Amino acid sequence: MRLSARVDYALRAAAELAAAGEPRTVDQLAAAQQIPAKYLESILGELRRGGLLRSQRGPDGGYRLARPAGEISIADVIRALDGELANIRGSRPEQLEYVGAAVTLQKVWIALRASERAILEQVTLDHVAKARLPRPVAHLVDNPDAWV
């Protein structure tokens, strides 16, 4: 799985918002996570348009999560920026057709998407902000082979 810098920055900023519990400006978020502010501003706009953030003007303004942190999964953030989790040449795995010896690849891509969903839909911004991963995910991380 490959995640873009945009997704990485979005998740880091969203985790900061989850931890803060109150609006934060672009500059505050950028400083907290060492992200270029101009680039982050564009990302936050996409998350707002995707329904994950709200923005507020004024002296108490900034960005905040549109829903409680426990209701926004990592998968939600990825989809808001990059679309579907598993995408092969711009298509969903179930839309692909392989022939001959490669026919089983479609099943591999579908299994891969199911595995991604099992983790990314389960972990919320609240889990990340509080450094408390769900037990099945923490169990995966505890396996030394996961780090290799």
Side-chain angles (χ1 to χ4, degrees):
M1 171 175 210
R2 178 176 287 211
L3 294 176
S4 65
R6 284 174 353 121
V7 168
D8 180 52
Y9 291 168
L11 289 166
R12 290 163 51 191
E16 284 292 329
L17 289 171
E22 58 187 20
R24 290 286 186 247
T25 66
V26 173
D27 290 337
Q28 288 171 322
L29 294 169
Q33 286 297 317
Q34 300 175 345
I35 300 169
K38 282 286 189 192
Y39 192 40
L40 182 59
E41 187 171 17
S42 169
I43 292 167
L44 296 177
E46 287 185 65
L47 293 176
R48 185 182 52 76
R49 287 186 293 280
L52 298 179
L53 298 183
R54 290 195 179 132
S55 59
Q56 178 179 325
R57 296 185 187 272
D60 295 326
Y63 287 90
R64 65 174 191 222
L65 299 176
R67 301 189 309 260
E71 294 178 14
I72 301 175
S73 72
I74 301 297
D76 292 332
V77 176
I78 294 169
R79 287 183 184 120
L81 293 173
D82 286 351
E84 293 296 321
L85 293 179
N87 183 317
I88 294 85
R89 294 180 287 117
S91 297
R92 296 170 54 93
E94 64 275 11
Q95 296 171 334
L96 298 173
E97 290 187 34
Y98 292 98
V99 295
V103 76
T104 305
L105 282 176
Q106 180 186 42
K107 291 179 181 177
V108 172
W109 305 148
I110 289 171
L112 175 65
R113 181 179 60 191
S115 293
E116 286 179 342
R117 282 180 178 165
I119 295 170
L120 299 175
E121 290 179 350
Q122 187 177 157
V123 179
T124 67
L125 295 177
D126 190 54
H127 290 122
V128 174
K130 292 180 178 172
R132 277 194 333 233
L133 293 174
R135 190 171 309 217
V137 176
H139 180 69
L140 291 170
V141 173
D142 289 342
N143 180 349
D145 291 338
W147 293 86
V148 180

